[in-house]
Amino acid sequence: MNRSERRPTLVISHGAWHQPSSWAATCAALAERGYQTRVPALPSAGNPTPTGSMYDDADVIARAVTEIDGPVVVLAHSYGGMPATQGATGLTQVSHLVYVTAYLLDEGESVFSFHGRSTPSDTGGILRLLKNPRVALYNDIADEPAGRALDELVNQSRRSFTDRLTSAAWRDIPSTYVLCEDDRAIPLAMQERMATRATASRWIAGGHSPYLAAPHRFATVIDEILRSTPDATR
């Protein structure tokens, strides 16, 4: 970006079982590149028993966007694609959406339905963590930082994965899908299906959590995407 261009503020929609603090290193790396960031806490994640729905999460993302004066890019990771897609709908200051191995779904779809799972009769309670999260979430991260990340995981409401989208911001807002080649949580074939809905796509090496594996490298990727996307700075 030229110095005269106004960098958008990034509102980050974090993934399931995670907290805003997991993005601290990447936010610092983005700040070095001139970006302000906001990582609101999503009510579907927390201890001991979160009850927040995907719609509650979407409201939090929408509120974070509307509190910012100037252009906004919503950056979503994993489950965070759901509230980003729902919450950014109709918000004219959102210039771009970035989905990082995130759920880029359409109206009427839920995370459960996308994976071919039926909606349970009881959608309350806690969603079980992925089997072997060390491999699923952090397969390319060294043991010490991966251990810290695992220790910081919190509970996730089941309802957040069964709620269905009622709107899809990507139908009106340009978007980029970032596919992670060695993701062990969201299979590459599923990422490829979702990426076809985005305006553009980009491949990066590594696993499910590139923002934790290599924050500076990841921040560079985000900066490159936004510098090459005219609508992201307006």
Side-chain angles (χ1 to χ4, degrees), residues 92-167:
T92 57
Q93 72 212 85
V94 178
S95 59
H96 203 80
L97 303 166
V98 180
Y99 292 85
V100 180
T101 187
Y103 286 98
L104 197 170
L105 304 188
D106 206 350
E107 295 176 12
E109 294 182 316
S110 70
V111 175
F112 266 29
S113 72
F114 185 71
H115 284 272
R117 297 179 60 179
S118 58
T119 302
S121 56
D122 179 9
T123 60
I126 301 301
L127 183 72
R128 182 180 299 176
L129 186 60
L130 294 174
K131 184 179 180 181
N132 197 348
R134 170 68 177 91
V135 172
L137 301 175
Y138 313 128
N139 65 295
D140 60 341
I141 301 177
D143 286 341
E144 184 177 344
R148 290 196 301 269
L150 288 167
D151 288 342
E152 293 177 2
L153 295 178
V154 295
N155 290 326
Q156 182 74 23
S157 73
R158 182 184 294 115
R159 181 182 173 187
S160 61
F161 274 49
T162 63
D163 288 335
R164 295 176 182 268
L165 292 172
T166 61
S167 60

Side-chain angles (χ1 to χ4, degrees), residues 27-217:
C27 288
L30 286 166
E32 293 175 4
R33 290 156 177 78
Y35 295 97
Q36 296 185 49
T37 55
R38 304 285 188 277
V39 193
L42 301 183
S44 66
N47 290 324
T49 309
T51 59
S53 66
M54 184 273 291
Y55 306 117
D56 295 328
D57 292 344
D59 287 344
V60 167
I61 295 299
R63 187 160 56 249
V65 169
T66 57
E67 290 173 352
I68 295 168
D69 180 20
V72 173
V73 167
V74 177
L75 190 163
H77 176 249
S78 195
Y79 159 78
M82 293 293 288
T85 297
Q86 180 82 21
T89 303
L91 301 183
T92 57
Q93 72 212 85
V94 178
S95 59
H96 203 80
L97 303 166
V98 180
Y99 292 85
V100 180
T101 187
Y103 286 98
L104 197 170
L105 304 188
D106 206 350
E107 295 176 12
E109 294 182 316
S110 70
V111 175
F112 266 29
S113 72
F114 185 71
H115 284 272
R117 297 179 60 179
S118 58
T119 302
S121 56
D122 179 9
T123 60
I126 301 301
L127 183 72
R128 182 180 299 176
L129 186 60
L130 294 174
K131 184 179 180 181
N132 197 348
R134 170 68 177 91
V135 172
L137 301 175
Y138 313 128
N139 65 295
D140 60 341
I141 301 177
D143 286 341
E144 184 177 344
R148 290 196 301 269
L150 288 167
D151 288 342
E152 293 177 2
L153 295 178
V154 295
N155 290 326
Q156 182 74 23
S157 73
R158 182 184 294 115
R159 181 182 173 187
S160 61
F161 274 49
T162 63
D163 288 335
R164 295 176 182 268
L165 292 172
T166 61
S167 60
W170 55 267
R171 289 192 169 277
D172 300 307
I173 301 172
S175 59
T176 299
Y177 198 96
V178 179
L179 300 97
C180 296
E181 296 177 350
D182 194 26
D183 192 330
R184 309 290 177 85
I186 301 179
L188 190 56
M190 286 189 167
Q191 293 181 63
E192 290 174 329
R193 283 172 56 194
M194 294 185 284
T196 62
R197 295 169 168 174
T199 310
S201 61
R202 173 156 180 169
W203 294 74
I204 60 174
H208 185 68
S209 305
Y211 69 99
L212 281 170
H216 284 275
R217 184 177 65 191

